[in-house]
């Protein structure tokens, strides 16, 4: 019988699996810091804030091309801000200026001593990229505010990764509470090197780069926890379940208890691979079970 059934005194594995899958969080786990990493946004703007304020003088100028040239000539450091104005992360770019003969023009946005030709080239870039008209037509009023908006937009690409981070953040709340209550130590992003250094325990790893979301040490007995949240379905769920079946076997062979904490409405359309893991492993938990202190029961 499944060990979790024994711990929870449930004598029917089908009933336990139904209990797990019926209490998945349909509404997700969106926290306030999911939307924008404001610290990162402001950190990205800080190094070019002075340059953006210098470029502000261009707003509304009629002879914009000449004004850009003169500004670059007098304050060459302003070119550092050019990529940020067009939501581009690199400090250099090659533009295909003749698509029939495949002729390229290279542009470098690093601050340096520039010749007249450099100033002309970068003025051309400013104009051709659309920044000239943006400034001339007063489409923006302040470039620091404008780039703040650009950075917020770029940061939205990180929401997918933040989803995983939020799950780890929530799970750690329960891991910490369990360890505090039982007087145990835990670590996040655990690997063989960190475990050896902190607890002087040797483990065999199949991948030198492998990190576990959490490791708990109970007087030399290790518990490894992996967690994830799937708001939507897809092939990733099946491959994750298959990987964790193997991972469970691998750690169990070293007398390490493996616990998988997963949740999300995505599983409701992909129950088969989850059931395969459930049938082959001892511990499949969801957030509701953590709330009910099931982790304490497993370790204690």
């Amino acid at each position: 019988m499944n060990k979790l059934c024994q711990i929870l005194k449930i004598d029917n594995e089908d009933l336990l699996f139904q209990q797990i899958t019926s209490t998945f969080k349909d509404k997700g786990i969106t926290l306030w810091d999911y939307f924008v990493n404001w610290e990162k946004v402001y950190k990205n703007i800080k190094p070019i804030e002075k340059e953006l304020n210098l470029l502000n003088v261009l707003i509304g100028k009629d002879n914009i091309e000449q004004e850009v040239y003169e500004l670059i000539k007098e304050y060459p450091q302003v070119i550092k801000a050019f990529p940020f104005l067009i939501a581009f992360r690199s400090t250099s770019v090659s533009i295909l200026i003749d698509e029939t003969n495949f002729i390229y023009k290279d542009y470098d946005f690093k601050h340096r001593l520039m010749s007249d030709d450099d100033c002309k080239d970068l003025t051309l870039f400013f104009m051709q990229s659309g920044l000239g008209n943006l400034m001339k037509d007063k489409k923006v009023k302040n470039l620091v505010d404008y780039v703040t908006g650009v950075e917020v937009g770029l940061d939205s690409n990180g929401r997918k990764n933040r989803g995983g981070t939020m799950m780890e953040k929530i799970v750690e709340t329960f891991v910490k509470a369990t360890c505090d209550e039982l007087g145990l130590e835990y670590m996040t992003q655990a690997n063989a090197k960190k475990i050896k250094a902190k607890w002087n325990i040797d483990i065999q790893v199949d991948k030198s780069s492998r990190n576990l979301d959490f490791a708990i040490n109970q007087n030399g007995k290790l518990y490894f926890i992996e967690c994830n949240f799937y708001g939507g379905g897809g092939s990733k769920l099946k491959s994750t379940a298959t990987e964790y079946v193997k991972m469970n076997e691998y750690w169990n062979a070293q007398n390490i208890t493996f616990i998988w904490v997963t949740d999300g409405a995505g599983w409701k359309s992909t129950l088969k691979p989850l059931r395969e893991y459930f049938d082959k492993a001892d511990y499949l938990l969801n957030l509701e079970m953590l709330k009910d202190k099931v982790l304490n029961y497993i370790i204690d």
Side-chain angles (χ1 to χ4, degrees), residues 4 7-8 168 170-182 184-187 213-218 222-227 257-261 282-300:
L4 197 52
I7 290 171
L8 299 178
E168 291 176 20
I170 293 170
V171 171
E172 185 173 4
T173 301
F174 296 104
V175 169
K176 183 178 186 303
T178 296
C179 289
D180 287 348
E181 185 174 327
L182 300 179
L184 306 177
E185 290 186 336
Y186 79 94
M187 71 171 69
D213 291 333
F214 303 97
I216 298 174
N217 179 14
Q218 184 194 43
L222 294 178
Y223 296 81
F224 287 169
I225 301 174
E226 284 284 275
C227 63
T257 298
F258 180 72
I259 302 169
W260 182 18
V261 182
D282 291 322
Y283 299 114
L284 174 67
L285 307 182
N286 64 17
L287 292 173
E288 192 68 18
M289 297 168 80
L290 290 184
K291 187 191 78 173
D292 292 337
K293 293 194 170 185
V294 173
L295 185 59
N296 294 53
Y297 303 148
I298 293 171
I299 297 175
D300 197 27

Short mmCIF file of all heavy atoms in Angstrom, two decimals, residues 4 7-8 168 170-182 184-187 213-218 222-227 257-261 282-300:
data_model
loop_
_atom_site.label_atom_id
_atom_site.label_comp_id
_atom_site.label_asym_id
_atom_site.label_seq_id
_atom_site.Cartn_x
_atom_site.Cartn_y
_atom_site.Cartn_z
N LEU A 4 1.78 6.99 1.83
CA LEU A 4 0.97 8.14 2.20
C LEU A 4 -0.42 7.70 2.69
O LEU A 4 -0.99 8.30 3.60
CB LEU A 4 0.83 9.09 1.01
CG LEU A 4 0.37 10.53 1.30
CD1 LEU A 4 1.21 11.17 2.40
CD2 LEU A 4 0.42 11.35 0.03
N ILE A 7 0.06 6.72 6.27
CA ILE A 7 0.25 7.89 7.14
C ILE A 7 -1.08 8.60 7.40
O ILE A 7 -1.39 8.99 8.53
CB ILE A 7 1.27 8.86 6.52
CG1 ILE A 7 2.68 8.24 6.56
CG2 ILE A 7 1.26 10.20 7.24
CD1 ILE A 7 3.71 9.03 5.79
N LEU A 8 -1.88 8.74 6.34
CA LEU A 8 -3.15 9.45 6.45
C LEU A 8 -4.30 8.55 6.84
O LEU A 8 -5.44 9.00 6.94
CB LEU A 8 -3.46 10.16 5.12
CG LEU A 8 -2.44 11.20 4.65
CD1 LEU A 8 -2.84 11.79 3.31
CD2 LEU A 8 -2.27 12.30 5.69
N GLU A 168 7.73 27.87 -5.47
CA GLU A 168 8.81 27.60 -4.53
C GLU A 168 8.67 28.47 -3.28
O GLU A 168 8.89 28.00 -2.15
CB GLU A 168 10.17 27.85 -5.19
CG GLU A 168 10.52 26.84 -6.28
CD GLU A 168 11.82 27.18 -6.97
OE1 GLU A 168 12.62 27.94 -6.39
OE2 GLU A 168 12.03 26.71 -8.10
N ILE A 170 5.89 29.70 -1.99
CA ILE A 170 4.78 29.20 -1.18
C ILE A 170 5.16 27.92 -0.46
O ILE A 170 4.92 27.75 0.74
CB ILE A 170 3.54 28.99 -2.06
CG1 ILE A 170 3.02 30.33 -2.57
CG2 ILE A 170 2.44 28.27 -1.28
CD1 ILE A 170 1.94 30.22 -3.63
N VAL A 171 5.78 26.99 -1.20
CA VAL A 171 6.16 25.71 -0.60
C VAL A 171 7.18 25.93 0.51
O VAL A 171 7.13 25.26 1.56
CB VAL A 171 6.70 24.75 -1.67
CG1 VAL A 171 7.31 23.50 -1.03
CG2 VAL A 171 5.59 24.35 -2.64
N GLU A 172 8.10 26.87 0.32
CA GLU A 172 9.10 27.12 1.36
C GLU A 172 8.46 27.57 2.66
O GLU A 172 8.97 27.26 3.75
CB GLU A 172 10.14 28.15 0.90
CG GLU A 172 11.25 28.33 1.91
CD GLU A 172 12.39 29.21 1.46
OE1 GLU A 172 12.31 29.77 0.35
OE2 GLU A 172 13.37 29.35 2.22
N THR A 173 7.35 28.28 2.57
CA THR A 173 6.65 28.69 3.79
C THR A 173 6.30 27.48 4.63
O THR A 173 6.49 27.48 5.86
CB THR A 173 5.35 29.46 3.43
OG1 THR A 173 5.68 30.60 2.64
CG2 THR A 173 4.62 29.90 4.68
N PHE A 174 5.82 26.41 3.98
CA PHE A 174 5.44 25.19 4.70
C PHE A 174 6.66 24.37 5.11
O PHE A 174 6.68 23.77 6.19
CB PHE A 174 4.49 24.35 3.84
CG PHE A 174 3.18 25.03 3.56
CD1 PHE A 174 2.92 25.60 2.32
CD2 PHE A 174 2.21 25.12 4.55
CE1 PHE A 174 1.71 26.23 2.06
CE2 PHE A 174 1.00 25.75 4.31
CZ PHE A 174 0.75 26.31 3.06
N VAL A 175 7.67 24.34 4.25
CA VAL A 175 8.91 23.62 4.59
C VAL A 175 9.54 24.24 5.84
O VAL A 175 9.95 23.52 6.78
CB VAL A 175 9.90 23.63 3.41
CG1 VAL A 175 11.26 23.11 3.85
CG2 VAL A 175 9.36 22.80 2.25
N LYS A 176 9.62 25.56 5.85
CA LYS A 176 10.22 26.26 6.99
C LYS A 176 9.41 26.00 8.27
O LYS A 176 9.97 25.74 9.34
CB LYS A 176 10.30 27.76 6.73
CG LYS A 176 10.97 28.55 7.84
CD LYS A 176 11.05 30.03 7.51
CE LYS A 176 11.87 30.78 8.56
NZ LYS A 176 11.35 30.62 9.93
N ALA A 177 8.08 26.07 8.15
CA ALA A 177 7.23 25.84 9.33
C ALA A 177 7.43 24.42 9.87
O ALA A 177 7.52 24.22 11.10
CB ALA A 177 5.77 26.06 8.96
N THR A 178 7.52 23.45 8.97
CA THR A 178 7.74 22.06 9.38
C THR A 178 9.09 21.91 10.08
O THR A 178 9.18 21.29 11.15
CB THR A 178 7.68 21.12 8.17
OG1 THR A 178 6.36 21.15 7.62
CG2 THR A 178 8.02 19.69 8.55
N CYS A 179 10.11 22.46 9.49
CA CYS A 179 11.46 22.33 10.05
C CYS A 179 11.58 23.07 11.39
O CYS A 179 12.24 22.60 12.32
CB CYS A 179 12.50 22.83 9.06
SG CYS A 179 12.70 21.75 7.62
N ASP A 180 10.95 24.23 11.48
CA ASP A 180 10.96 24.96 12.75
C ASP A 180 10.27 24.15 13.85
O ASP A 180 10.74 24.08 14.99
CB ASP A 180 10.26 26.31 12.59
CG ASP A 180 11.09 27.31 11.79
OD1 ASP A 180 12.29 27.04 11.57
OD2 ASP A 180 10.55 28.35 11.39
N GLU A 181 9.16 23.54 13.49
CA GLU A 181 8.39 22.77 14.46
C GLU A 181 9.12 21.51 14.91
O GLU A 181 9.08 21.13 16.08
CB GLU A 181 7.03 22.40 13.86
CG GLU A 181 6.09 21.71 14.84
CD GLU A 181 4.71 21.49 14.26
OE1 GLU A 181 4.25 22.33 13.45
OE2 GLU A 181 4.08 20.46 14.61
N LEU A 182 9.84 20.88 13.96
CA LEU A 182 10.51 19.62 14.27
C LEU A 182 11.99 19.79 14.63
O LEU A 182 12.68 18.82 14.92
CB LEU A 182 10.39 18.66 13.08
CG LEU A 182 8.96 18.29 12.64
CD1 LEU A 182 8.98 17.36 11.43
CD2 LEU A 182 8.19 17.64 13.79
N LEU A 184 14.49 20.92 12.61
CA LEU A 184 15.33 20.40 11.53
C LEU A 184 15.91 21.53 10.70
O LEU A 184 15.44 22.68 10.74
CB LEU A 184 14.51 19.46 10.64
CG LEU A 184 13.78 18.32 11.33
CD1 LEU A 184 12.96 17.54 10.32
CD2 LEU A 184 14.76 17.40 12.05
N GLU A 185 16.93 21.20 9.92
CA GLU A 185 17.52 22.16 8.98
C GLU A 185 17.08 21.83 7.56
O GLU A 185 16.85 20.66 7.22
CB GLU A 185 19.05 22.11 9.05
CG GLU A 185 19.64 22.67 10.32
CD GLU A 185 21.17 22.72 10.25
OE1 GLU A 185 21.75 21.94 9.46
OE2 GLU A 185 21.77 23.52 10.99
N TYR A 186 16.97 22.87 6.75
CA TYR A 186 16.68 22.65 5.33
C TYR A 186 17.49 23.63 4.50
O TYR A 186 18.00 24.64 5.03
CB TYR A 186 15.18 22.82 5.05
CG TYR A 186 14.69 24.24 4.95
CD1 TYR A 186 14.60 24.90 3.71
CD2 TYR A 186 14.32 24.96 6.09
CE1 TYR A 186 14.15 26.21 3.63
CE2 TYR A 186 13.86 26.26 6.01
CZ TYR A 186 13.78 26.88 4.78
OH TYR A 186 13.35 28.18 4.69
N MET A 187 17.61 23.36 3.24
CA MET A 187 18.25 24.29 2.32
C MET A 187 17.48 24.32 1.01
O MET A 187 16.80 23.35 0.65
CB MET A 187 19.72 23.92 2.07
CG MET A 187 19.94 22.66 1.24
SD MET A 187 21.68 22.42 0.79
CE MET A 187 22.42 22.04 2.38
N ASP A 213 14.81 21.57 -5.32
CA ASP A 213 14.17 22.77 -4.77
C ASP A 213 14.42 22.88 -3.28
O ASP A 213 14.73 23.95 -2.76
CB ASP A 213 12.67 22.75 -5.06
CG ASP A 213 12.37 22.94 -6.55
OD1 ASP A 213 13.19 23.57 -7.24
OD2 ASP A 213 11.32 22.47 -7.00
N PHE A 214 14.28 21.75 -2.56
CA PHE A 214 14.50 21.75 -1.11
C PHE A 214 15.13 20.43 -0.67
O PHE A 214 14.83 19.38 -1.23
CB PHE A 214 13.18 21.94 -0.34
CG PHE A 214 12.43 23.18 -0.71
CD1 PHE A 214 11.39 23.12 -1.63
CD2 PHE A 214 12.76 24.41 -0.15
CE1 PHE A 214 10.71 24.26 -2.01
CE2 PHE A 214 12.08 25.56 -0.52
CZ PHE A 214 11.05 25.48 -1.44
N ALA A 215 15.97 20.53 0.35
CA ALA A 215 16.50 19.33 1.02
C ALA A 215 16.33 19.54 2.51
O ALA A 215 16.64 20.61 3.04
CB ALA A 215 17.96 19.10 0.67
N ILE A 216 15.82 18.53 3.19
CA ILE A 216 15.64 18.57 4.64
C ILE A 216 16.50 17.49 5.26
O ILE A 216 16.55 16.36 4.76
CB ILE A 216 14.16 18.33 5.01
CG1 ILE A 216 13.29 19.45 4.42
CG2 ILE A 216 13.99 18.28 6.53
CD1 ILE A 216 11.79 19.22 4.62
N ASN A 217 17.18 17.85 6.33
CA ASN A 217 18.06 16.90 7.02
C ASN A 217 17.47 16.55 8.38
O ASN A 217 17.32 17.41 9.25
CB ASN A 217 19.45 17.53 7.21
CG ASN A 217 20.41 16.60 7.94
OD1 ASN A 217 20.15 15.41 8.09
ND2 ASN A 217 21.52 17.14 8.40
N GLN A 218 17.14 15.27 8.55
CA GLN A 218 16.64 14.77 9.83
C GLN A 218 17.66 13.80 10.41
O GLN A 218 17.62 12.60 10.17
CB GLN A 218 15.28 14.07 9.64
CG GLN A 218 14.65 13.60 10.95
CD GLN A 218 13.51 12.64 10.71
OE1 GLN A 218 13.62 11.75 9.86
NE2 GLN A 218 12.41 12.82 11.43
N LEU A 222 17.87 12.21 4.70
CA LEU A 222 17.54 13.31 3.80
C LEU A 222 16.16 13.15 3.17
O LEU A 222 15.73 12.05 2.83
CB LEU A 222 18.58 13.41 2.68
CG LEU A 222 20.01 13.80 3.09
CD1 LEU A 222 20.93 13.80 1.87
CD2 LEU A 222 20.04 15.16 3.78
N TYR A 223 15.50 14.28 3.01
CA TYR A 223 14.23 14.37 2.28
C TYR A 223 14.42 15.41 1.18
O TYR A 223 14.79 16.55 1.46
CB TYR A 223 13.10 14.80 3.20
CG TYR A 223 12.78 13.82 4.30
CD1 TYR A 223 13.54 13.78 5.47
CD2 TYR A 223 11.72 12.93 4.18
CE1 TYR A 223 13.26 12.87 6.48
CE2 TYR A 223 11.42 12.02 5.19
CZ TYR A 223 12.20 12.00 6.33
OH TYR A 223 11.91 11.10 7.33
N PHE A 224 14.20 15.00 -0.05
CA PHE A 224 14.30 15.92 -1.19
C PHE A 224 12.90 16.28 -1.68
O PHE A 224 12.04 15.40 -1.81
CB PHE A 224 15.08 15.29 -2.34
CG PHE A 224 16.56 15.18 -2.08
CD1 PHE A 224 17.37 14.42 -2.92
CD2 PHE A 224 17.17 15.83 -1.01
CE1 PHE A 224 18.73 14.32 -2.70
CE2 PHE A 224 18.53 15.73 -0.78
CZ PHE A 224 19.32 14.97 -1.63
N ILE A 225 12.68 17.56 -1.94
CA ILE A 225 11.38 18.03 -2.40
C ILE A 225 11.53 18.80 -3.71
O ILE A 225 12.37 19.70 -3.82
CB ILE A 225 10.72 18.95 -1.35
CG1 ILE A 225 10.54 18.21 -0.03
CG2 ILE A 225 9.37 19.47 -1.86
CD1 ILE A 225 10.04 19.09 1.11
N GLU A 226 10.75 18.41 -4.68
CA GLU A 226 10.62 19.16 -5.92
C GLU A 226 9.20 19.70 -6.00
O GLU A 226 8.24 19.01 -5.59
CB GLU A 226 10.90 18.27 -7.13
CG GLU A 226 12.37 17.97 -7.36
CD GLU A 226 13.10 19.16 -7.96
OE1 GLU A 226 13.09 19.32 -9.20
OE2 GLU A 226 13.68 19.95 -7.19
N CYS A 227 9.03 20.91 -6.50
CA CYS A 227 7.69 21.47 -6.59
C CYS A 227 7.49 22.22 -7.90
O CYS A 227 8.42 22.76 -8.48
CB CYS A 227 7.42 22.41 -5.41
SG CYS A 227 8.50 23.85 -5.32
N THR A 257 14.38 10.07 0.82
CA THR A 257 12.94 10.15 0.55
C THR A 257 12.66 11.30 -0.41
O THR A 257 13.08 12.44 -0.16
CB THR A 257 12.14 10.36 1.85
OG1 THR A 257 12.35 9.24 2.71
CG2 THR A 257 10.65 10.52 1.57
N PHE A 258 11.98 10.98 -1.49
CA PHE A 258 11.65 11.99 -2.50
C PHE A 258 10.18 12.37 -2.38
O PHE A 258 9.30 11.50 -2.30
CB PHE A 258 11.94 11.47 -3.90
CG PHE A 258 11.64 12.47 -5.00
CD1 PHE A 258 12.45 13.58 -5.18
CD2 PHE A 258 10.53 12.30 -5.82
CE1 PHE A 258 12.17 14.50 -6.18
CE2 PHE A 258 10.25 13.22 -6.82
CZ PHE A 258 11.07 14.32 -7.00
N ILE A 259 9.92 13.65 -2.35
CA ILE A 259 8.55 14.16 -2.23
C ILE A 259 8.29 15.14 -3.38
O ILE A 259 9.04 16.10 -3.56
CB ILE A 259 8.34 14.88 -0.88
CG1 ILE A 259 8.64 13.94 0.28
CG2 ILE A 259 6.92 15.43 -0.78
CD1 ILE A 259 8.72 14.64 1.63
N TRP A 260 7.24 14.88 -4.11
CA TRP A 260 6.87 15.77 -5.21
C TRP A 260 5.62 16.54 -4.80
O TRP A 260 4.58 15.95 -4.49
CB TRP A 260 6.60 14.96 -6.48
CG TRP A 260 6.25 15.81 -7.68
CD1 TRP A 260 6.47 17.15 -7.84
CD2 TRP A 260 5.65 15.36 -8.89
NE1 TRP A 260 6.03 17.57 -9.08
CE2 TRP A 260 5.52 16.49 -9.75
CE3 TRP A 260 5.20 14.12 -9.34
CZ2 TRP A 260 4.96 16.41 -11.01
CZ3 TRP A 260 4.64 14.04 -10.61
CH2 TRP A 260 4.53 15.17 -11.44
N VAL A 261 5.76 17.87 -4.78
CA VAL A 261 4.62 18.74 -4.49
C VAL A 261 4.23 19.43 -5.79
O VAL A 261 5.01 20.21 -6.34
CB VAL A 261 4.97 19.80 -3.42
CG1 VAL A 261 3.74 20.66 -3.12
CG2 VAL A 261 5.48 19.14 -2.16
N ASP A 282 6.08 7.06 -3.42
CA ASP A 282 5.43 7.09 -2.11
C ASP A 282 4.70 8.40 -1.82
O ASP A 282 3.66 8.39 -1.17
CB ASP A 282 6.47 6.84 -1.01
CG ASP A 282 7.00 5.42 -1.04
OD1 ASP A 282 6.21 4.50 -1.31
OD2 ASP A 282 8.21 5.24 -0.82
N TYR A 283 5.29 9.52 -2.30
CA TYR A 283 4.77 10.79 -1.83
C TYR A 283 4.46 11.77 -2.96
O TYR A 283 5.36 12.34 -3.58
CB TYR A 283 5.76 11.42 -0.86
CG TYR A 283 6.00 10.55 0.37
CD1 TYR A 283 7.25 9.97 0.59
CD2 TYR A 283 4.97 10.29 1.26
CE1 TYR A 283 7.47 9.16 1.70
CE2 TYR A 283 5.18 9.47 2.37
CZ TYR A 283 6.42 8.92 2.58
OH TYR A 283 6.62 8.11 3.66
N LEU A 284 3.19 11.95 -3.20
CA LEU A 284 2.69 12.98 -4.10
C LEU A 284 1.79 13.90 -3.28
O LEU A 284 0.78 13.45 -2.72
CB LEU A 284 1.88 12.36 -5.25
CG LEU A 284 1.18 13.36 -6.20
CD1 LEU A 284 2.22 14.16 -6.99
CD2 LEU A 284 0.23 12.63 -7.15
N LEU A 285 2.18 15.17 -3.17
CA LEU A 285 1.42 16.13 -2.36
C LEU A 285 0.97 17.32 -3.21
O LEU A 285 1.55 17.60 -4.26
CB LEU A 285 2.27 16.65 -1.20
CG LEU A 285 2.95 15.64 -0.27
CD1 LEU A 285 3.69 16.37 0.85
CD2 LEU A 285 1.96 14.65 0.29
N ASN A 286 -0.04 18.01 -2.72
CA ASN A 286 -0.42 19.29 -3.31
C ASN A 286 -0.41 20.36 -2.22
O ASN A 286 -0.11 20.08 -1.05
CB ASN A 286 -1.77 19.20 -4.04
CG ASN A 286 -2.92 18.88 -3.09
OD1 ASN A 286 -2.82 19.03 -1.88
ND2 ASN A 286 -4.04 18.45 -3.67
N LEU A 287 -0.73 21.59 -2.58
CA LEU A 287 -0.66 22.69 -1.62
C LEU A 287 -1.64 22.53 -0.46
O LEU A 287 -1.34 22.89 0.67
CB LEU A 287 -0.89 24.02 -2.33
CG LEU A 287 0.21 24.45 -3.31
CD1 LEU A 287 -0.20 25.69 -4.08
CD2 LEU A 287 1.53 24.69 -2.57
N GLU A 288 -2.82 22.01 -0.76
CA GLU A 288 -3.82 21.82 0.29
C GLU A 288 -3.31 20.83 1.35
O GLU A 288 -3.54 21.02 2.55
CB GLU A 288 -5.12 21.29 -0.32
CG GLU A 288 -6.32 21.32 0.61
CD GLU A 288 -6.79 22.71 0.96
OE1 GLU A 288 -6.44 23.68 0.24
OE2 GLU A 288 -7.51 22.86 1.97
N MET A 289 -2.56 19.83 0.90
CA MET A 289 -2.01 18.84 1.83
C MET A 289 -0.90 19.45 2.68
O MET A 289 -0.75 19.11 3.85
CB MET A 289 -1.52 17.62 1.06
CG MET A 289 -2.65 16.89 0.34
SD MET A 289 -2.06 15.65 -0.83
CE MET A 289 -1.69 14.30 0.29
N LEU A 290 -0.13 20.36 2.09
CA LEU A 290 0.88 21.06 2.88
C LEU A 290 0.20 21.91 3.96
O LEU A 290 0.66 21.97 5.10
CB LEU A 290 1.73 21.96 1.99
CG LEU A 290 2.69 21.28 1.02
CD1 LEU A 290 3.53 22.32 0.29
CD2 LEU A 290 3.61 20.28 1.71
N LYS A 291 -0.90 22.55 3.58
CA LYS A 291 -1.65 23.35 4.55
C LYS A 291 -2.14 22.48 5.71
O LYS A 291 -2.18 22.93 6.86
CB LYS A 291 -2.84 24.02 3.86
CG LYS A 291 -3.60 25.02 4.73
CD LYS A 291 -4.90 25.45 4.09
CE LYS A 291 -5.96 24.36 4.27
NZ LYS A 291 -7.31 24.81 3.82
N ASP A 292 -2.47 21.23 5.39
CA ASP A 292 -2.96 20.30 6.42
C ASP A 292 -1.83 19.58 7.16
O ASP A 292 -2.05 18.58 7.84
CB ASP A 292 -3.90 19.27 5.77
CG ASP A 292 -5.19 19.91 5.28
OD1 ASP A 292 -5.56 20.98 5.80
OD2 ASP A 292 -5.83 19.32 4.39
N LYS A 293 -0.58 20.07 6.97
CA LYS A 293 0.59 19.57 7.69
C LYS A 293 0.96 18.12 7.35
O LYS A 293 1.54 17.41 8.18
CB LYS A 293 0.39 19.71 9.21
CG LYS A 293 0.35 21.16 9.68
CD LYS A 293 0.51 21.24 11.19
CE LYS A 293 0.72 22.68 11.61
NZ LYS A 293 1.00 22.81 13.07
N VAL A 294 0.64 17.69 6.15
CA VAL A 294 1.01 16.33 5.76
C VAL A 294 2.52 16.16 5.74
O VAL A 294 3.02 15.08 6.05
CB VAL A 294 0.38 15.99 4.38
CG1 VAL A 294 0.90 14.63 3.88
CG2 VAL A 294 -1.14 15.96 4.48
N LEU A 295 3.26 17.22 5.40
CA LEU A 295 4.72 17.13 5.39
C LEU A 295 5.24 16.80 6.78
O LEU A 295 6.18 16.01 6.93
CB LEU A 295 5.32 18.44 4.88
CG LEU A 295 6.84 18.46 4.69
CD1 LEU A 295 7.29 17.41 3.69
CD2 LEU A 295 7.30 19.84 4.21
N ASN A 296 4.63 17.39 7.79
CA ASN A 296 5.03 17.07 9.17
C ASN A 296 4.83 15.58 9.46
O ASN A 296 5.69 14.93 10.08
CB ASN A 296 4.17 17.88 10.16
CG ASN A 296 4.42 19.37 10.08
OD1 ASN A 296 4.34 19.94 9.00
ND2 ASN A 296 4.71 19.99 11.20
N TYR A 297 3.69 15.03 9.02
CA TYR A 297 3.40 13.62 9.29
C TYR A 297 4.42 12.71 8.60
O TYR A 297 4.83 11.69 9.16
CB TYR A 297 2.00 13.27 8.81
CG TYR A 297 0.89 14.11 9.41
CD1 TYR A 297 -0.26 14.39 8.67
CD2 TYR A 297 1.01 14.63 10.70
CE1 TYR A 297 -1.29 15.17 9.22
CE2 TYR A 297 0.00 15.40 11.25
CZ TYR A 297 -1.15 15.68 10.50
OH TYR A 297 -2.15 16.43 11.04
N ILE A 298 4.82 13.08 7.39
CA ILE A 298 5.77 12.25 6.64
C ILE A 298 7.13 12.21 7.35
O ILE A 298 7.72 11.15 7.54
CB ILE A 298 5.96 12.80 5.20
CG1 ILE A 298 4.67 12.63 4.39
CG2 ILE A 298 7.13 12.10 4.50
CD1 ILE A 298 4.69 13.32 3.05
N ILE A 299 7.59 13.36 7.79
CA ILE A 299 8.93 13.45 8.38
C ILE A 299 8.93 13.00 9.83
O ILE A 299 9.89 12.37 10.30
CB ILE A 299 9.49 14.89 8.25
CG1 ILE A 299 9.64 15.24 6.77
CG2 ILE A 299 10.82 15.02 8.96
CD1 ILE A 299 10.07 16.66 6.51
N ASP A 300 7.85 13.28 10.53
CA ASP A 300 7.81 12.98 11.96
C ASP A 300 7.34 11.56 12.20
O ASP A 300 6.92 11.22 13.29
CB ASP A 300 6.90 13.98 12.68
CG ASP A 300 7.15 14.00 14.19
OD1 ASP A 300 8.27 13.68 14.62
OD2 ASP A 300 6.20 14.31 14.92
#
